[in-house]
Amino acid sequence: MGTALVYHEDMTAARLLWDDPECEIECPERLTIALERLRQRGLEQRCLRLAAREASEEELGLVHSPEYVALLRGTQALGTGELQALSGQYDAIYFHPSTFHCARLAAGAALQLVDAVLTGAVQNGLALVRPPGHHSQRAAANGFCVFNNVAIAAKHAKQKHGLHRILIVDWDIHHGQGIQYIFEDDPSVLYFSWHRYEHGRFWPYLQESDTDAVGQGQGCGFTVNLPWNQVGMGNADYVAAFLHVLLPLAFEFDPELVLVAAGFDSAVGDPEGQMQATPECFAHLTQLLQVLACGRVCAVLEGGYHLESLSQSVCMMVQALLGDPPLPLSGPMEPHRSALESIQSVRAAQAPHWMSLQQQDAAPVLSPSTRSPEGSISPLLPGGPEFKAPVVQTEAQAVVALSSLLDQLRLYPTPPLRTAVALTELDAALVLPPDVLHWERSAPQKEMQAWARPHEALAQDKSFNALGKVLYLLDSILDGQVSSGIAATPAPAAAATLDVAIQRGLSHRAQRLLCVAVGQLDRPLDLADDGRTLWLNIRGKEAAALSMFHVSTPLPGLLKGCDPVTWRRLGWTSQNGHRDPAPRAGVNRPRTGRPRQCPEAGPASTRRPESPLACADGRPCSPRPGSKQLSESLTPPS
Ligand code: Q9C
Ligand code: ZN
């Protein structure tokens, strides 16, 4: 399935007819040059080209008031003076006699794109439009925007295609306050926007662009604002925002469709944004979004005023939509301090509403007394032996008991140490950050011997010593002293060490284990294929897979390895993120993406109709293959 490119030449007709330095940047060349560049690179030709149609007035009415639509209809007959006078009633707006036609085409293009994706004609696509849409409101034009193209498309996807969860990612550098207002109280639309904010000193100067605007009523937690308080944000900041804010929430929300308010004024060179992200960054961001909603990504152009930067970024996004592997990112890969502060702030503001943000930030520190002196495994739960499993009688009680159990599990604190390394002498020269702890200890000798015995590769002293450190580190992580760690082992012992680590992890306290093996490493033969271990091998070429829990994918670039289609073919879709067989904290949560702890949100809803959509291979999106009964996975392995 391909990529749609929706466009109509008529959208270049509207232009500024008088002098206005603020508005002159929104010019017809934005579209012509971007399209020309797509042609030059042969990208336009690879897309399914669709001619944009006008949105009907009824469709505009999904978002806008009839009076506002009528007012816009009337602008077609106005003279320049009248147009200028009317424009002056709005903030950063110019009207042209062709504005109404263009704006209807822009909204219509977004609708066509959504229709093409949701009918399965294409996998994804981009609508190249102007005027942009995300600032426009029910009865107001604003910030070059006349009709809210993306908002209309989202309403249409709900109404005409019966969707229940739509994610809107607004990576334009301005806050799409129009989209925010329209879906403020709507839990079926998760709206994420990052924007230049500078503590409120950047246009449109709104308090509601800050992190504490999280939505209202039922929609509480479905508005996510990430304000940038400094200019100069770059690739690292954008990727960090995706990894630490957007994607955790998006996975939890589990959208059926992703709409991108794709403004490229967030790219380097743009006079509005003053940011540093390079065009390739948008390929990466696009690729990250393709893991959601079975890859159904509809992007609609918003801003972007540096013609060269805009065109390059558009090309990068289209390439990613087409499935080409993105170019590597350049520039500093450490986020700015100010960016981390913003990320921290939005995570804190959203934490009450999203499971995936809980328990990680600002959790109480594990008291040393709960750790056993030898560093051997201490009781699984903080209360240790005092922890009482509730006695269960009826099924209803079982549910209550289970959620209380889960509540206790959720309180399990964040380890006081973030990262430890267990290295052998060989690697001791490695330069590590100062807050990384060097872990010197080993697992008890007897235990190690027992684990190492079946493996010839572990007979050697060096390998054996390394194993001891690996196991000790693993135990430290499993019993909550450390969050993460890095260990080294001599190459010939790698497979055996990994085998022992997996077996030990599973036999101790890991409920489910993800093993990512980079390089030519085969899955341990005796690993049970019971769904507790997901083995992902990234290697030179695709290797035979035993089951859906055994995935082998070629290195990106070698065989289009990052293609989500590969994953779908293996039975893994974004929905598999919810397999949830074991007691994770979210079991009692409705799968509507409704946030927790929102007083207005009402009782835990059962409102989660099955998705009307199917994946590329024809399977419906929702069923979760391989999930186990809770009772089954609660039983510790013998
Ligand atoms: N120098 C879009 O990107 N002017 N609209 C701001 C600050 C308004 C931007 C002035 C910018 C509107 C879709
Ligand atoms: Zn913008």
Side-chain angles (χ1 to χ4, degrees):
M1 274 210 293
T3 296
L5 185 66
V6 194
Y7 178 73
H8 198 295
E9 202 184 292
D10 285 3
M11 285 186 284
T12 60
R15 60 189 173 87
L16 182 63
L17 295 175
W18 52 87
D19 207 43
D20 182 348
E22 189 181 20
C23 289
E24 68 191 11
I25 55 175
E26 204 293 287
C27 59
E29 291 73 31
R30 298 179 56 234
L31 289 192
T32 50
I33 295 188
L35 196 70
E36 190 183 296
R37 181 56 57 90
L38 284 171
R39 283 195 185 133
Q40 273 172 6
R41 300 214 182 159
L43 295 169
E44 193 221 13
Q45 298 83 327
R46 290 171 61 195
C47 294
L48 176 71
R49 277 162 286 182
L50 298 174
R53 64 165 173 95
E54 286 191 328
S56 69
E57 295 206 5
E58 189 187 335
E59 287 164 335
L60 299 174
L62 289 168
V63 162
H64 299 284
S65 72
E67 298 75 22
Y68 177 68
V69 175
L71 178 90
L72 260 298
R73 195 191 313 123
T75 60
Q76 298 176 102
L78 298 184
T80 306
E82 294 164 309
L83 287 168
Q84 187 171 3
L86 183 63
S87 304
Q89 301 194 5
Y90 300 101
D91 186 6
I93 276 292
Y94 69 87
F95 292 121
H96 181 276
S98 72
T99 290
F100 184 60
H101 176 52
C102 291
R104 283 178 66 180
L105 283 174
L111 293 172
Q112 260 184 309
L113 178 56
V114 163
D115 286 339
V117 166
L118 293 181
T119 56
V122 289
Q123 174 67 41
N124 57 36
L126 170 68
L128 271 185
V129 304
R130 59 187 288 275
H134 72 152
H135 297 304
S136 119
Q137 296 147 44
R138 181 171 160 78
N142 181 277
F144 316 152
C145 301
V146 177
F147 297 130
N148 203 313
N149 310 320
V150 166
I152 293 169
K155 292 264 190 187
H156 172 84
K158 285 176 58 171
Q159 204 186 75
K160 288 276 142 59
H161 296 275
L163 296 206
H164 303 98
R165 291 178 315 281
I166 298 164
L167 169 65
I168 299 178
V169 179
D170 188 340
W171 70 40
D172 186 282
I173 206 57
H174 301 95
H175 181 212
Q177 85 278 35
I179 301 182
Q180 174 167 315
Y181 299 153
I182 292 158
F183 298 110
E184 199 152 59
D185 56 7
D186 185 347
S188 67
V189 176
L190 173 58
Y191 176 61
F192 170 89
S193 173
W194 66 35
H195 33 268
R196 179 172 169 189
Y197 188 58
E198 296 176 296
H199 300 286
R201 286 185 276 273
F202 188 72
W203 191 90
Y205 316 105
L206 300 170
Q207 276 195 334
E208 61 265 34
S209 306
D210 211 343
T211 54
D212 58 353
V214 297
Q216 286 173 6
Q218 295 275 99
C220 186
F222 293 97
T223 294
V224 182
N225 281 326
L226 173 43
W228 301 122
N229 287 316
Q230 286 178 5
V231 295
M233 296 305 169
N235 296 343
D237 305 294
Y238 287 5
V239 170
F242 264 49
L243 297 185
H244 297 286
V245 182
L246 175 62
L247 292 177
L249 305 197
F251 274 114
E252 193 173 330
F253 182 65
D254 190 14
E256 296 155 317
L257 174 68
V258 179
L259 299 177
V260 185
F264 297 99
D265 41 14
S266 44
V268 64
D270 192 279
E272 280 288 310
Q274 303 285 331
M275 297 298 174
Q276 291 290 334
T278 58
E280 307 84 67
C281 191
F282 297 95
H284 288 264
L285 301 182
T286 302
Q287 198 182 46
L288 288 170
L289 294 181
Q290 284 173 302
V291 303
L292 300 162
C294 297
R296 292 182 192 100
V297 175
C298 295
V300 182
L301 182 67
E302 297 281 355
Y305 307 101
H306 183 289
L307 299 178
E308 187 52 28
S309 178
L310 166 68
S311 318
Q312 295 225 25
S313 300
V314 164
C315 286
M316 290 297 151
M317 182 177 202
V318 169
Q319 267 193 291
L321 290 174
L322 285 164
D324 293 355
L327 293 169
L329 290 178
S330 54
M333 273 323 278
E334 195 176 331
H336 290 92
R337 195 187 165 77
S338 167
L340 293 178
E341 283 168 8
S342 296
I343 287 171
Q344 170 58 34
S345 170
V346 60
R347 285 175 57 101
Q350 297 290 340
H353 311 297
W354 297 93
M355 293 276 323
S356 48
L357 297 182
Q358 285 165 15
Q359 183 202 8
Q360 297 183 42
D361 299 328
V365 165
L366 184 68
S367 110
S369 63
T370 59
R371 262 181 263 152
S372 65
E374 295 314 308
S376 63
I377 291 187
S378 61
L380 171 61
L381 295 160
E386 280 138 69
F387 174 79
K388 289 198 186 65
V391 183
V392 174
Q393 277 153 4
T394 67
E395 202 176 321
Q397 276 180 314
V399 173
V400 174
L402 180 61
S403 39
S404 92
L405 235 150
L406 295 172
D407 280 339
Q408 294 180 55
L409 273 175
R410 200 178 316 134
L411 292 175
Y412 196 55
T414 301
L417 302 175
R418 301 304 293 182
T419 302
V421 292
L423 300 175
T424 53
E425 320 85 84
L426 276 176
D427 313 288
L430 227 63
V431 187
L432 293 161
D435 51 348
V436 167
L437 202 96
H438 286 264
W439 231 223
E440 300 292 349
R441 305 174 64 160
S442 280
Q445 196 79 7
K446 281 229 175 72
E447 255 177 69
M448 282 167 58
Q449 279 161 354
W451 283 107
R453 203 165 295 132
H455 299 278
E456 228 174 276
L458 295 172
Q460 236 207 355
D461 267 3
K462 265 202 188 115
S463 310
F464 186 72
N465 291 339
L467 178 72
K469 291 189 167 189
V470 173
L471 294 185
Y472 184 74
L473 176 61
L474 195 66
D475 288 352
S476 311
I477 293 170
L478 289 169
D479 77 355
Q481 297 180 54
V482 179
S483 298
S484 57
I486 298 170
T489 184
T497 306
L498 193 57
D499 189 13
V500 172
I502 292 173
Q503 298 299 344
R504 203 178 140 98
L506 289 174
S507 69
H508 277 73
R509 53 199 49 188
Q511 296 276 358
R512 298 182 307 289
L513 202 144
L514 167 66
C515 191
V516 182
V518 183
Q520 309 292 333
L521 202 61
D522 286 318
R523 194 173 93 139
L525 283 172
D526 52 346
L527 197 59
D529 202 30
D530 59 359
R532 290 184 67 201
T533 320
L534 170 58
W535 174 271
L536 168 59
N537 191 187
I538 302 168
R539 60 200 290 164
K541 54 177 173 39
E542 209 171 319
L546 302 174
S547 74
M548 65 176 294
F549 298 108
H550 182 174
V551 180
S552 164
T553 182
L555 283 167
L558 284 177
L559 238 180
K560 271 201 181 182
C562 355
D563 187 354
V565 171
T566 309
W567 290 83
R568 280 199 299 279
R569 190 153 40 76
L570 289 158
W572 282 90
T573 68
S574 62
Q575 277 66 29
N576 290 107
H578 289 275
R579 285 189 317 100
D580 223 342
R584 267 202 315 211
V587 169
N588 56 352
R589 232 177 131 261
R591 296 195 61 226
T592 52
R594 185 194 290 277
R596 303 162 39 77
Q597 298 176 16
C598 208
E600 304 95 321
S605 158
T606 49
R607 171 177 76 91
R608 195 193 186 281
E610 290 296 285
S611 168
L613 299 167
C615 284
D617 59 3
R619 292 180 309 105
C621 279
S622 290
R624 296 160 287 154
S627 36
K628 291 194 292 182
Q629 294 301 306
L630 261 169
S631 54
E632 193 186 317
S633 54
L634 275 171
T635 317
S638 44

